[in-house]
Amino acid sequence: MTTVSELVAAAGLTGRGGAEFPTAVKIDAARRHDAELIVNACDGELDARKDGWVVARFLPRVLEGARHLTRQRIRVAAHRDSETLATLQAAGVDTLAVPRRYVSSEESALTQLAHGGAARPLMRFEPIVAGSRTRTGRRLPPTLVLNAETVWRIQQIIEFGPGWFRSYGTPDEPGPRLITVVDGVGAPGVYPGEAGLPVTEILYRAGGLVSPMRALWIGGLGGGFLSGTSARRAAWSRAGLAPYGLRPGAGTIRVLGTQCDPWEEILRAVTYAAGESAGQCGPCMFGLPAVRDDVAAVAAGDRGEALDRLAHRLGQLAGRGACRFPDGIAGFLGSALRTFTEEETRSWP
């Protein structure tokens, strides 16, 4: 009899939370270690809405898919005081109420929270699915963390087969996936998509642009920017976005109009990021406030020394810390530097 892992491997499903790690590999590891399951419905990335959308419409299918993955406890994580958490609790689901902090929905933070600790990322020396330890050395049970859309897709693969799944997308990036489009379109919301779609087609599905576009912000704090010119020829896929240093990530698109100064948007985002640190490591505690100050100077009109200072500081931010939050911010700001310097900044007063 074909196992769930074999079906998922044949389908080519990768995680829909942003990292796009092969899901079958995680399922195999969970089986070996008899792991618990946390379904992550937090929509932790900026602008993300899709996991709440899945819970609101397909919760029974998500739970059915979850039951195929473990014999141990299954919990669904959602932010405190969110509509998603209320929906789950009304349905009698075993829930994990998560603080509304950016890093709190990271998989090791959820695992620690589920076992009585703070919702802070762990320094990891082995995969969470194999078991982990807190900063004090306490052992945590093996835990499989998959986001809600991924678990829903697993159930669809079980029901309809790998061939159905591969009828969407591209051979290298198969399957349907949800995309959240916010601001600058006629009908913001969550839309079905797949790898290979022109980015312009996604905007059309969301009602089309309501004003001229300067750029697209893709993937929240873990993503970056696509200039308006590039957006008109780019495809929504890893391969299609790679030339611009981007990935589909958590599947979010925000439109920046020609009337907006993108550095003001970037400053708001980095100010938020600097306040979301878990307070555990230097790159978050000191590095993020420093780059926020640099971005504030750029937004105030210093397009010379502040830009140089920011570019230099980004090289010192990535690759350190308990989680990859600083890495994501460094990539986000690096994309901003590539997109909004030179010809676009020269056109501003």
Side-chain angles (χ1 to χ4, degrees):
M1 181 177 178
T2 305
T3 67
V4 172
S5 176
E6 289 169 338
L7 288 172
V8 170
L13 174 64
T14 56
R16 296 308 196 228
E20 298 190 66
F21 189 80
T23 304
V25 174
K26 295 185 75 170
I27 294 173
D28 283 338
R31 288 289 172 87
R32 287 196 304 272
H33 296 282
D34 205 15
E36 300 176 353
L37 173 64
I38 296 175
V39 179
N40 186 353
C42 290
D43 281 321
E45 187 54 80
L46 289 184
D47 293 334
R49 306 286 188 274
K50 65 185 182 63
D51 291 316
W53 186 94
V54 168
V55 167
R57 291 162 176 78
F58 301 104
L59 179 57
R61 288 287 182 260
V62 172
L63 297 177
E64 189 173 349
R67 286 190 284 269
H68 286 287
L69 300 176
T70 183
R71 297 170 298 179
Q72 302 297 324
R73 187 176 182 182
I74 298 169
R75 279 172 279 196
V76 184
H79 281 141
R80 294 172 184 166
D81 302 319
S82 66
E83 289 185 16
T84 302
L85 184 62
T87 298
L88 293 165
Q89 291 175 337
V93 175
D94 189 353
T95 58
L96 182 64
V98 182
R100 284 185 174 273
R101 302 297 302 274
Y102 186 86
V103 298
S104 294
S105 58
E106 188 268 345
E107 65 175 354
S108 67
L110 290 177
T111 301
Q112 185 166 214
L113 178 66
H115 296 283
R120 294 181 176 183
L122 298 170
M123 181 69 76
R124 285 183 276 176
F125 302 100
E126 55 188 331
I128 296 299
V129 72
S132 52
R133 293 186 183 275
T134 68
R135 293 168 66 90
T136 61
R138 181 167 65 93
R139 188 76 179 175
L140 298 175
T143 306
L144 173 64
V145 180
L146 296 172
N147 84 301
E149 184 189 353
T150 304
V151 179
W152 178 44
R153 299 303 182 192
I154 290 169
Q155 181 57 31
Q156 289 182 313
I157 291 167
I158 293 169
E159 287 188 67
F160 307 125
W164 167 84
F165 189 81
R166 284 190 171 274
S167 70
Y168 295 87
T170 67
D172 292 334
E173 302 174 51
R177 58 183 64 216
L178 296 174
I179 303 168
T180 308
V181 187
V182 300
D183 282 0
V185 291
V190 177
Y191 290 90
E194 59 191 283
L197 277 180
V199 170
T200 51
E201 168 64 19
I202 298 169
L203 298 176
Y204 174 79
R205 292 183 181 187
L209 296 172
V210 296
S211 61
M213 171 179 59
R214 178 187 293 275
L216 298 180
W217 177 3
I218 292 174
L221 290 177
F225 300 91
L226 193 63
S227 73
T229 300
S230 298
R232 290 179 176 87
R233 57 175 179 260
W236 185 260
S237 66
R238 292 194 303 271
L241 294 174
Y244 311 102
L246 300 173
R247 298 169 64 92
T252 64
I253 299 176
R254 177 180 288 269
V255 179
L256 303 184
T258 55
Q259 299 305 310
C260 107
D261 179 343
W263 287 104
E264 292 290 344
E265 289 281 346
I266 294 162
L267 177 58
R268 281 191 284 271
V270 178
T271 299
Y272 166 78
E276 290 299 294
S277 165
Q280 299 180 130
C281 306
C284 271
M285 294 174 65
F286 307 112
L288 295 185
V291 297
R292 176 202 57 206
D293 293 344
D294 292 338
V295 171
V298 174
D302 182 353
R303 304 285 158 84
E305 290 185 6
L307 282 172
D308 293 339
R309 193 166 57 246
L310 176 61
H312 174 73
R313 209 184 304 271
L314 293 182
Q316 302 173 320
L317 191 61
R320 300 160 60 198
C323 67
R324 294 184 176 178
F325 185 38
D327 300 54
I329 301 304
F332 168 71
L333 290 173
S335 175
L337 289 173
R338 292 191 299 273
T339 307
F340 300 120
T341 54
E342 301 179 0
E343 66 177 9
E344 291 194 306
T345 50
R346 283 200 300 269
S347 70
W348 298 342

